[in-house]
Amino acid sequence: EGKLIPLKQTRLGETGNCFETCIASLLNLEIEQVPDLLAYEHGPWMEKINEWLASKYKLAYIILYLPKIERDCFFSDKDFYHVMIGNTNRSSDIKHAVVGRRGKMVHDPHPDNIGILDDDMLKIGVLVSQCL
């Protein structure tokens, strides 16, 4: 298991790069090494990240939705870093990405470190080895 490098995002607000910063932290990269995916927009960001991850690292990014009541059971025998995506106290319109481990936030790339709200449904993004 790699060591998490806690980076801070370089853009805030509606055009923030919290997601790209989380990916950089997980892969021990500088933020500039991760493509600007425009992940805050509706569009092909998921396709873009998977093309980039596959070509560079033979990885894929998948999203899981975990109900709050299932989290402890799901993570009881799993221990890995992942992205957590959710709402924040800062805005009801803009989603935020943080790094989690076992379903709990371990790093917030935003300077205020407030994290995401503990919603009933947790959206997590996981880096997995690409199927060949």
Side-chain angles (χ1 to χ4, degrees):
E1 176 181 332
K3 183 178 187 312
L4 177 73
I5 304 298
L7 301 171
K8 289 297 183 182
Q9 64 192 87
T10 55
R11 288 194 325 261
L12 305 175
E14 291 182 15
T15 60
N17 61 349
C18 56
F19 177 76
E20 292 89 337
T21 304
C22 289
I23 296 299
S25 290
L26 291 174
L27 294 175
N28 299 319
L29 300 173
E30 297 296 325
I31 297 169
E32 299 77 24
Q33 292 178 273
V34 177
D36 190 352
L37 299 165
L38 307 176
Y40 47 83
E41 293 183 354
H42 297 292
W45 68 267
M46 184 84 165
E47 183 179 322
K48 287 179 186 176
I49 188 161
N50 276 313
E51 286 174 2
W52 177 75
L53 286 168
S55 68
K56 291 268 191 185
Y57 303 101
K58 303 274 191 259
L59 294 172
Y61 179 81
I62 61 171
I63 295 174
L64 305 171
Y65 294 89
L66 293 173
K68 191 174 199 172
I69 60 171
E70 296 290 330
R71 287 181 213 161
D72 289 341
C73 180
F74 178 81
F75 284 107
S76 66
D77 63 346
K78 297 167 190 68
D79 186 5
F80 56 88
Y81 291 110
H82 51 80
V83 177
M84 297 169 59
I85 300 165
N87 296 310
T88 71
N89 290 330
R90 288 186 303 275
S91 170
S92 58
D93 298 327
I94 303 172
K95 299 288 186 198
H96 183 50
V98 300
V99 177
R101 186 173 182 179
R102 299 189 76 154
K104 309 264 190 255
M105 185 185 84
V106 295
H107 173 63
D108 186 348
H110 194 279
D112 71 9
N113 294 314
I114 201 167
I116 60 173
L117 299 174
D118 191 17
D119 294 329
D120 288 337
M121 185 67 70
L122 176 63
K123 180 178 178 180
I124 68 168
V126 181
L127 296 174
V128 297
S129 293
Q130 185 185 36
C131 296
L132 301 175

